[in-house]
Amino acid sequence: MKNKISKMLQSNQVIITFFLLKLCIYYYLIGGSFFSLLYLPISAVIIIFIFGHLSASHRKHRSTIFSVCYIIISITMFADAMYFNYYNQTVSIAQLWQVKNVAKVPESFIATFIPSSVFLLLDVPILISCFRRYIRIAERRKSGNDENKIGRRQRYIKAICGISLFIIIVYNPINSKFIAKICSNEFFLNHTIDIYDETVGRIFDTSLDKEEVLEMMNENVQNETKNDLQGIAEGRNVIMIQVEALQNFVINRSYNGVELTPNINKLIQSDSIYFDHFYTNVGKGNTSDAEFSALNSLYPSAERESYTLYQDNNFSGLPWKLTDRGYDTFAVHGYEKEFWNRNEAYPNQGIQEFYAMEDLDDSEIIGLGISDMSVFSQTVDIMKAKTGQFFSFVVTLTNHHPYILDEDKCEIPVMYNDLESKFASYLQTVHYTDKAIGQFIERLKAEGLYDNSIIVLYGDHHGLNKDMDDNDIYMSRFIGKEYDYDEMMKVPMIINIPGSGCTRTISVTGGQIDIYPTVANLLNIELDDKYVLGQDLINAESGFVAFTSYMLPGSFVTDGMMYEMPREELFEMGRAWDPDTGKELTLDDRCREYYEKAISLKVLSEEILEQDLIN
Ligand code: GP9
Ligand code: MN
């Protein structure tokens, strides 16, 4: 028996079977579709080709070379599976930086982990030892017979042919959409292209010239001519609150008889403009990208956090405009200064002071950092010390994945069906954050800081990923329709102007990209900068938001239509639907135009940032 097993482990069939099994698991974990059936044999051929070449070679260190290759392949597959679970995309070498950030949020990392992805690593020691045995036996068989010249030549010819074919496919000289689709999905082709793009490709990147950028701006950015509510809040303090993972579905809703966000709801009811078709447009820098977009009206990079990529760029967004008008500008966040590179990025964003965990009283910690209640209370103390007008930017944290809250603070009675779910934990932390916001507003009133301010409050991104933690099941039950991107990407935006008598709901489509121009109109700030990609939503007749993360570039939402770009990156294979009713829409010319606009806006923002065009 022992002998049999040992023999089996020395055969190349076993090694190949392991390869195939691993590929099946891999393609399943990265959203296996009908097309995976096509990618799988291609990956199998490539992996068998590498294995075959190495085993036939007479190189001294071939076992070591194979081991290193196989470890790299396996780790990349594992990273892809994890990353796909969160972002709906495979990983790029541009995101190697994320390892550092992930290490700082271990609870979120563990909560994102899919147990079956372990299978992508488990076979590594077995397979490496199989390969070593296989080589040893093969060597013994040859016993001293050096590879002859013909054999070697044949092996080299095969290798050259294989590599050439691979390069031709990657290069795709006939520009075939079918090949392009394979290249963006098949493991080896996808990662080779990514490595090329991020290294050599960057050197040869041809950028648009300034005139072309401006022309694209004219074609793709809406220009409003009306001036409703212009200057209604001129000269007031600006209190901007970016709420961690606040989704729109909790607004004006009760759960098991308890109002989820009573304080935000109360705020909406008087002197507030509530934007109920408002979406997150973050890139890979999540929270920090929501900040970046809201402050500058630019789309963040689709690759990594813009706060690092463009930390030294020139900006002229909202904090700068207010600085020019004599405001004190400061940000408060209950986590480490250097997370998302905020400490380096804020000065060029026009934020003069940054109060982070290191500067604040950190005696009350919940989850990742200082509790929202404590952060808000300390923010009021900072405001009180200001003698002139201020712009305060508070970024909350308690409602952060995986939504951990001490039992004595959990006030939502969870129904039997939702027990132990991430959905229920989320409701608890949302309710807590809402309470903290309520206390903050009361405190502002008590300190005489409320009446002469405007409050801009919005969510940064989703809290419940539709593809994780069975969120789709719990959410679909709660919202009474299929939990799709239209609800996942929707966050609330509220602008409260105390004493204005202005209470309304605006349903035109908008996103974080529109915050700066919308607030600028209320404060009577002229948008003299050329590079503003959003629009004032109060005076807008229609709206548009492009997505780059969670939904692939090319995806968008506009009034009455949402479109999801498929992984195959072919417009025709995407899907469009009415974000309100869920009704499927045809992929007509209008939809294609919007898809092209979404791509143009992404390119435009990249050009503005890469070329540092803002003065
Ligand atoms: C940490 C906070 C959370 O500083 O911004 O970031 P997120 O994980 O949501 O991007
Ligand atoms: Mn966040």
Side-chain angles (χ1 to χ4, degrees), residues 255-452:
Y255 172 89
N256 204 6
V258 178
E259 200 177 349
L260 289 171
T261 56
N263 296 291
I264 298 177
N265 300 348
K266 202 167 121 197
L267 191 73
I268 290 173
Q269 276 153 26
S270 91
D271 295 339
S272 285
I273 311 168
Y274 168 44
F275 300 84
D276 68 351
H277 280 69
F278 196 84
Y279 299 84
T280 174
N281 55 253
V282 297
K284 295 291 177 333
N286 273 340
T287 311
S288 62
D289 281 351
E291 300 176 19
F292 178 81
S293 206
L295 298 177
N296 299 295
S297 193
L298 292 168
Y299 280 99
S301 159
E303 279 162 18
R304 56 176 300 191
E305 79 275 22
S306 295
Y307 272 179
T308 302
L309 280 179
Y310 309 114
Q311 71 171 57
D312 297 323
N313 274 31
N314 291 296
F315 292 98
S316 65
L318 188 60
W320 279 119
K321 289 289 188 300
L322 293 171
T323 301
D324 291 347
R325 280 161 182 74
Y327 281 61
D328 272 2
T329 62
F330 65 92
V332 191
H333 183 50
Y335 194 52
E336 294 166 14
K337 249 185 169 65
E338 53 151 41
F339 198 77
W340 288 130
N341 202 35
R342 287 186 177 94
N343 57 333
E344 300 287 343
Y346 278 166
N348 276 19
Q349 293 294 323
I351 294 173
Q352 298 152 14
E353 291 168 283
F354 177 29
Y355 300 89
M357 204 173 196
E358 296 87 338
D359 316 290
L360 300 168
D361 168 8
D362 63 355
S363 51
E364 192 180 279
I365 299 284
I366 301 182
L368 260 188
I370 306 175
S371 75
D372 287 351
M373 283 189 191
S374 173
V375 163
F376 277 130
S377 151
Q378 296 184 61
T379 303
V380 179
D381 296 337
I382 299 166
M383 288 172 173
K384 276 169 63 186
K386 301 288 171 200
T387 47
Q389 293 148 308
F390 58 79
F391 165 74
S392 88
F393 189 31
V394 189
V395 180
T396 78
L397 193 58
T398 303
N399 189 40
H400 191 279
H401 188 266
Y403 318 114
I404 297 161
L405 196 62
D406 283 347
E407 217 155 291
D408 60 323
K409 291 191 171 65
C410 294
E411 294 180 357
I412 305 284
V414 178
M415 290 190 276
Y416 181 75
N417 278 344
D418 299 326
L419 284 174
E420 307 295 324
S421 65
K422 200 61 77 206
F423 166 73
S425 311
Y426 176 78
L427 298 185
Q428 301 289 11
T429 47
V430 162
H431 189 70
Y432 166 88
T433 295
D434 174 80
K435 196 171 179 180
I437 291 168
Q439 287 179 4
F440 178 53
I441 292 169
E442 286 314 311
R443 187 75 208 284
L444 289 174
K445 286 179 182 167
E447 301 289 355
L449 289 162
Y450 181 70
D451 291 337
N452 194 34

Side-chain angles (χ1 to χ4, degrees), residues 16 19-21 23-24 26-27 33-49 169 178 182 185-189:
I16 291 167
F19 284 156
L20 291 177
L21 270 175
L23 288 170
C24 289
Y26 173 74
Y27 283 112
S33 67
F34 172 73
F35 281 94
S36 310
L37 296 175
L38 188 74
Y39 313 138
L40 197 138
I42 300 174
S43 306
V45 168
I46 296 173
I47 216 165
I48 291 167
F49 179 81
I169 295 174
F178 181 69
I182 294 177
N185 288 280
E186 193 284 321
F187 177 79
F188 291 99
L189 293 161

Side-chain angles (χ1 to χ4, degrees), residues 242 244-245 286-287 400 460-461:
Q242 180 176 295
E244 174 61 34
N286 273 340
T287 311
H400 191 279
D460 64 347
H461 51 70

Side-chain angles (χ1 to χ4, degrees), residues 70-109:
Y70 201 67
I71 289 170
I72 293 173
I73 290 170
S74 303
I75 291 176
T76 311
M77 283 183 166
F78 178 77
D80 274 350
M82 291 284 289
Y83 201 74
F84 191 89
N85 188 26
Y86 196 78
Y87 281 112
N88 200 17
Q89 267 168 278
T90 51
V91 80
S92 151
I93 52 157
Q95 279 124 29
L96 276 179
W97 59 275
Q98 249 185 348
V99 175
K100 184 183 104 196
N101 283 352
V102 166
K104 292 220 166 172
V105 283
E107 277 122 350
S108 292
F109 174 76

Side-chain angles (χ1 to χ4, degrees), residues 445-475:
K445 286 179 182 167
E447 301 289 355
L449 289 162
Y450 181 70
D451 291 337
N452 194 34
S453 299
I454 67 163
I455 298 175
V456 181
L457 183 150
Y458 62 95
D460 64 347
H461 51 70
H462 70 270
L464 300 170
N465 188 321
K466 77 178 187 66
D467 298 317
M468 283 170 62
D469 305 315
D470 289 334
N471 290 330
D472 55 338
I473 298 172
Y474 297 100
M475 278 296 290

